[in-house]
């Protein structure tokens, strides 16, 4: 299984600012995903991070709010832009080699004041 | 739209008991089903993956079954231990023919398990 790290592990941010979350994998993977887990809720997919092209966003999520980069097969970033308290969540990166098991990073706990 | 339901929402058992967690999904056209464990404030740990063509998977004290036609899966935990206390999440991926985000995991809300010493 892949080993996934995320930075930062947690942060407290002010309303209106932006935060970039990094996801690093210890091996090359085909698929990388970003999920959000709001307090007391289950996980919701934000977007699929595509290497060499724009991310594919799920309904209800837009690039201006959640820009994503994927410069290579082991790294991706998610930016949460112009934050509001409603963005307070755990953000998780996951990876897959295709139609197989998905593995998750430890998550980034974001609190917006 | 795929919906995943997990019952019960919370479960408290004494140590040593065998237990079953339930997961149901509305669209039987899935590619696979995965069970995860989430400790408080942490990421997810993959427990078991069942492909749509399989009926069950086993890992140690865990056994997961899949009845795709009825849209159900169960996670059986034998001889529970306090260290098993966590939230257990069930998630499914779309079938290949569905198009769109075929790799997308659709999650249930989880079952919060507490195993008391």
């Amino acid at each position: 299984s892949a080993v996934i790290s995320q930075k930062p592990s947690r942060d407290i941010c002010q309303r209106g600012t932006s935060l970039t979350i990094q996801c690093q994998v210890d091996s090359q993977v085909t698929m990388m995903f970003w999920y959000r887990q709001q307090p007391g809720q289950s996980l919701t997919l934000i977007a699929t991070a595509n290497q060499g092209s724009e991310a594919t966003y799920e309904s209800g999520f837009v690039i201006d709010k959640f820009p994503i980069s994927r410069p290579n097969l082991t790294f991706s970033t998610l930016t949460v832009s112009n934050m509001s308290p409603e963005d307070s969540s755990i953000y998780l990166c996951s990876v897959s080699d295709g139609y197989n098991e998905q593995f998750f990073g430890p998550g980034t706990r974001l609190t917006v004041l | 739209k795929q919906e995943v339901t997990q019952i019960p929402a919370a479960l408290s058992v004494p140590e040593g008991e065998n237990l079953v967690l339930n997961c149901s999904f509305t669209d039987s056209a899935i590619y696979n089903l995965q069970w995860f464990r989430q400790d408080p404030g942490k990421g997810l740990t993959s427990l078991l993956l069942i492909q749509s063509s399989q009926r069950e998977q086993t890992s140690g004290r865990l056994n997961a079954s899949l009845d795709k036609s009825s849209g159900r899966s169960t996670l059986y935990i034998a001889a529970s231990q306090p260290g098993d206390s966590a939230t257990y999440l069930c998630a499914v991926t779309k079938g290949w023919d569905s198009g769109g985000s075929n790799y997308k995991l659709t999650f249930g809300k989880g079952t919060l398990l507490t195993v008391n010493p």
Side-chain angles (χ1 to χ4, degrees):
Chain A
S1 64
V3 177
I4 306 164
S5 61
Q6 285 186 233
K7 290 182 182 179
S9 59
R10 58 176 60 220
D11 207 341
I12 301 173
C13 300
Q14 296 298 318
R15 181 195 298 262
T17 63
S18 297
L19 175 72
T20 296
I21 302 168
Q22 299 179 4
C23 176
Q24 179 75 53
V25 190
D26 69 341
S27 59
Q28 293 186 342
V29 292
T30 308
M31 313 294 295
M32 293 183 79
F33 309 90
W34 287 98
Y35 285 82
R36 179 176 75 179
Q37 187 176 30
Q38 295 178 299
Q41 302 298 313
S42 194
L43 282 78
T44 301
L45 180 65
I46 298 172
T48 303
N50 302 309
Q51 196 265 332
S53 64
E54 276 195 2
T56 304
Y57 289 84
E58 295 296 302
S59 175
F61 298 96
V62 295
I63 187 171
D64 289 345
K65 176 66 176 177
F66 298 101
I68 287 171
S69 77
R70 178 132 188 233
N72 56 53
L73 293 176
T74 63
F75 186 79
S76 178
T77 66
L78 168 75
T79 299
V80 186
S81 303
N82 189 24
M83 289 184 286
S84 66
E86 292 71 34
D87 294 319
S88 297
S89 298
I90 299 175
Y91 292 86
L92 298 111
C93 165
S94 77
V95 303
S96 172
D97 278 336
Y99 300 102
N100 293 313
E101 218 165 342
Q102 285 195 31
F103 300 97
F104 282 77
T108 295
R109 181 181 289 274
L110 171 62
T111 302
V112 184
L113 303 178
Chain B
K1 177 186 173 184
Q2 179 72 274
E3 292 184 359
V4 179
T5 303
Q6 291 188 244
I7 295 173
L11 180 64
S12 181
V13 300
E15 182 176 2
E17 191 162 299
N18 302 326
L19 58 99
V20 175
L21 308 181
N22 296 290
C23 171
S24 62
F25 43 95
T26 54
D27 185 349
S28 62
I30 65 168
Y31 187 79
N32 59 38
L33 182 146
Q34 207 166 340
W35 282 94
F36 295 91
R37 165 189 175 135
Q38 185 174 32
D39 293 285
K42 305 291 186 182
L44 276 65
T45 300
S46 178
L47 298 174
L48 288 164
L49 170 74
I50 309 178
Q51 302 291 354
S52 61
S53 58
Q54 297 176 320
R55 301 280 297 180
E56 66 178 321
Q57 282 288 326
T58 298
S59 176
R61 294 182 294 108
L62 305 179
N63 176 276
S65 69
L66 174 64
D67 184 342
K68 184 181 168 183
S69 60
S70 68
R72 295 181 183 178
S73 176
T74 61
L75 179 66
Y76 174 83
I77 302 177
S80 59
Q81 303 171 356
D84 294 331
S85 298
T87 296
Y88 289 80
L89 294 163
C90 164
V92 298
T93 55
K94 285 184 179 182
W96 174 244
D97 291 336
S98 300
S101 302
N102 295 318
Y103 308 101
K104 169 185 176 180
L105 282 168
T106 301
F107 283 85
K109 291 187 176 181
T111 294
L112 175 61
L113 173 65
T114 303
V115 181
N116 301 300

